[in-house]
Amino acid sequence: MSESGMRLVATEDAVGHVLCHDMTQILPGGTDASGNELPRYKGARFRKGHVVTAEDVPVLLSMGKAHLYVWQRRPGWLHEDEAARRMAALCVGEGCVASGEPREGKIGISAAHDGVFLVDSDRLLAVNSVDQVMVATRRGNFGVRAGDALAGTRVIPLVIDGRVVARAEAAADVAAHGPLMRVAPYVMRTAAVIATGSEVKSGLIKDRFTPVVERKLARYGVAVTWRATPGDAMEDVVAAIGEARAAGVDMVLCTGGMSVDPDDNTPGAIRRAGARIVTYGAPVLPGAMLLVGYFDPDAAGEKDARPVPVVGLPGCVMYSKATVFDLALPRLVAGVPLEKRDFVAMGEGGLCLGCDPCTFPHCPFA
């Protein structure tokens, strides 16, 4: 008998024992035009977990199975299905749903609603560093829709020492930190767009930036309900930002004026308007000049009010299909607080390769 809890027995001696894995049967079904044999049936005749009966023995022997691996329950050892359920329990957070019973030892996890998929990368790495267990996820921080596949988990062997699963559970430490993943619903519903630039204010050129931003926001259910074209003067941009906040929008987006040219006043105006700046600049191309900040609720203001994001959008957002704005937007709309390190982490994968056609977000960008 192996340490795994399985043992190999003669098929005639397997009656009453539980199969450790599926048994595939192939029945011949004639030939094709080239004389190649075609199967009439190919599939699992006996599923993992099946209790072998006396009637099964001749069928198994006809399938060429003179010996079978059977499960012998031993204290502290787990069948892969039981282990998969425990692994899935580490993963299923808010907005996630497990597929139900394991299939071939695996449990899938999908999105219960639209939102941004969030993964605790450090703890996921710790769990997957435990031998003989695995959790595979899609890339975090991107938007998902209800029903989208998020992750799958299983253990590698058919039976596993329960102490191994316990080590994975300790690495996840769900009691202290919650499950490894969740889908945060989108909570922002309205936005203001402040299109800077004297040429836009004067009507010399048409504002082509705002329609692009509106389309990007609409994908996440956000409507632009307030617009302004204040020009380039800092005091006018500051005033427009103040008016946007007074209008009660969920987020404020300023387009243009984000470079280091002397007459580009948007970053300074956002600061002067009272925003807490998280980052001015990101290791992403296109989009290095992005600015993200927050207007925090007043101490004496609404108790449950959320910080209002304010974003300075560089010109590339207007003409590039995928930019740093697309990487940050799902979390912004979901009200997930962004910190400087979130942007620092974008550096690896932050170079858009300009593929034609663009397949973002199904590509290595970010």
Side-chain angles (χ1 to χ4, degrees), residues 6-310:
M6 290 189 298
R7 62 175 175 146
L8 185 65
V9 300
T11 299
E12 295 88 345
D13 298 329
V15 175
H17 290 289
V18 179
L19 289 178
C20 288
H21 53 86
D22 294 349
M23 292 291 178
T24 299
Q25 184 179 37
I26 302 175
L27 299 176
T31 59
D32 62 16
S34 301
N36 299 312
E37 190 172 280
L38 297 173
R40 174 164 55 90
Y41 170 83
K42 180 180 180 180
R45 178 63 185 271
F46 300 102
R47 291 286 184 184
K48 176 177 55 185
H50 175 73
V51 179
V52 180
T53 67
E55 291 76 18
D56 298 332
V57 172
V59 179
L60 288 162
L61 291 172
S62 74
M63 294 165 54
K65 304 298 183 183
H67 294 82
L68 302 174
Y69 279 102
V70 295
W71 164 248
Q72 178 170 326
R73 184 171 292 277
R74 300 175 59 202
W77 286 77
L78 305 173
H79 189 280
E80 64 174 350
D81 288 353
E82 184 179 353
R85 294 186 190 95
R86 285 175 57 174
M87 292 297 298
L90 307 181
C91 303
V92 180
E94 171 200 6
C96 303
V97 60
S99 57
E101 288 303 304
R103 184 176 177 83
E104 297 180 340
K106 298 184 289 289
I107 290 182
I109 297 163
S110 59
H113 54 68
D114 294 0
V116 60
F117 179 48
L118 302 172
V119 181
D120 190 318
S121 301
D122 291 339
R123 287 192 294 138
L124 177 64
L125 178 63
V127 169
N128 281 330
S129 295
V130 177
D131 285 342
Q132 300 186 322
V133 304
M134 59 81 68
V135 178
T137 80
R138 72 193 295 155
R139 177 67 66 181
N141 299 328
F142 284 94
V144 295
R145 295 190 177 277
D148 282 354
L150 303 178
T153 183
R154 66 170 301 160
V155 296
I156 306 305
L158 291 169
V159 291
I160 190 170
D161 189 335
R163 291 173 295 184
V164 175
V165 178
R167 285 198 292 272
E169 291 169 333
D173 198 3
V174 171
H177 304 290
L180 296 175
M181 59 195 70
R182 64 188 177 99
V183 177
Y186 301 130
V187 295
M188 305 294 180
R189 295 289 178 260
T190 61
V193 176
I194 299 170
T196 66
S198 58
E199 66 280 15
V200 174
K201 179 181 180 180
S202 65
L204 289 175
I205 66 169
K206 184 178 179 180
D207 174 18
R208 300 185 185 277
F209 213 142
T210 298
V212 172
V213 175
E214 287 178 321
R215 288 194 294 272
K216 289 182 180 291
L217 293 174
R219 295 172 192 159
Y220 301 99
V222 179
V224 175
T225 58
W226 196 91
R227 299 167 182 81
T229 54
D232 288 319
M234 184 172 294
E235 60 272 19
D236 293 336
V237 178
V238 172
I241 294 172
E243 292 171 19
R245 292 187 63 196
V249 294
D250 293 325
M251 57 195 310
V252 178
L253 306 173
C254 300
T255 68
M258 290 302 302
S259 75
V260 293
D261 296 338
D263 59 348
D264 284 333
N265 290 325
T266 303
I270 292 174
R271 286 190 177 90
R272 189 174 294 183
R276 168 175 56 86
I277 306 301
V278 171
T279 188
Y280 177 28
V284 178
L285 293 173
M289 305 306 292
L290 178 82
L291 183 148
V292 173
Y294 290 93
F295 293 110
D296 293 316
D298 295 334
E302 301 164 65
K303 181 179 178 182
D304 298 322
R306 289 189 302 265
V308 175
V310 56

Side-chain angles (χ1 to χ4, degrees), residues 282-289 316 322-324 346 349-353 365:
V284 178
L285 293 173
M289 305 306 292
C316 62
T323 71
V324 67
M346 293 180 184
L351 176 64
C352 177
L353 301 179
F365 185 49

